[in-house]
Amino acid sequence: MGLGEGVMHRIALIILLLFSGVGLAAAHPLAGTWRLQPDLGTNLAAWRALDLIVEVDGNEVTLTRQFAAGRRTFQDVTKVDLSKTAAVIPVELWPDARYLGANIGGDKTKTVSGQWIGDGNVLRLNTDVVLATQQGEHPVNVLGTYTVSTNGERLTLIEVRSTRTQPLVFVFKRLEGAEARRTGTAE
């Protein structure tokens, strides 16, 4: 005795919906490749382009920033396990304010901790670093809040730095397909 064709179609549809739902739930809203929209936020000054690649695997978040200015490029990677107290990450260069003569100092590391806020569309990272300037070394704290828009197409990063009186605002758009595989360039 076999199942009717209608019952088979319903079972196949239910299985398809179940597996589709699993795939959608696994994709984190913050994950993806994002390109800075410089006209919508704080000026990068010496850099002309910035791509941000975000990977989310459970409690592990990896942020890869790809800076460009003409033919000069720089990439840094921050990998944080949100289930742990903090990560100590080696730092090659402090790209965020190189035009001010602020360079990485101290032991050339940064200490980063983080947490998901609300429904997981907001990531907050707390970073401590020592910067070297002509006046000496200075501890700096950066509180970064990464928020994804409700439609998933825009990422806003608001950074509050202990060395500044005004927050920095960076707005990114999501890149898809071939566009996401091309690094932003200033040329």
Side-chain angles (χ1 to χ4, degrees):
M1 177 185 237
L3 293 174
E5 193 174 315
V7 173
M8 290 295 284
H9 284 302
R10 281 190 218 124
I11 291 172
L13 181 60
I14 289 169
I15 291 171
L16 179 64
L17 290 174
L18 285 173
F19 282 110
S20 296
V22 168
L24 292 174
H28 194 279
L30 189 63
T33 302
W34 305 87
R35 177 150 304 146
L36 182 70
Q37 303 301 291
D39 296 340
L40 300 178
T42 304
N43 187 342
L44 280 176
W47 298 107
R48 300 286 177 243
L50 172 60
D51 282 357
L52 175 66
I53 301 165
V54 181
E55 299 170 72
V56 179
D57 184 11
N59 283 322
E60 290 185 358
V61 178
T62 304
L63 302 168
T64 303
R65 299 186 303 168
Q66 298 174 332
F67 293 89
R71 291 189 182 105
R72 180 184 170 110
T73 61
F74 177 75
Q75 175 175 298
D76 72 358
V77 178
T78 300
K79 186 173 186 174
V80 180
D81 185 338
L82 302 177
S83 68
K84 297 187 177 169
T85 305
V88 177
I89 301 166
V91 177
E92 177 185 339
L93 169 75
W94 180 253
D96 297 270
R98 68 184 181 100
Y99 61 94
L100 292 176
N103 299 300
I104 190 65
D107 62 358
K108 299 192 180 334
T109 65
K110 61 184 175 182
T111 302
V112 184
S113 61
Q115 68 184 54
W116 293 115
I117 306 282
D119 59 4
N121 282 353
V122 178
L123 172 65
R124 180 171 294 151
L125 294 182
N126 187 24
T127 304
D128 289 305
V129 66
V130 174
L131 296 181
T133 68
Q134 288 182 341
Q135 294 77 28
E137 291 194 339
H138 306 280
V140 176
N141 176 264
V142 180
L143 183 62
T145 305
Y146 298 76
T147 307
V148 178
S149 64
T150 54
N151 68 3
E153 296 301 313
R154 182 176 279 190
L155 170 67
T156 303
L157 166 59
I158 299 174
E159 281 190 354
V160 177
R161 296 182 186 170
S162 60
T163 56
R164 298 178 60 98
T165 57
Q166 296 292 318
L168 303 170
V169 178
F170 302 104
V171 178
F172 297 82
K173 80 169 189 173
R174 184 182 296 278
L175 301 181
E176 301 289 345
E179 186 179 38
R181 289 186 289 275
R182 281 195 335 262
T183 301
T185 180
E187 294 184 350

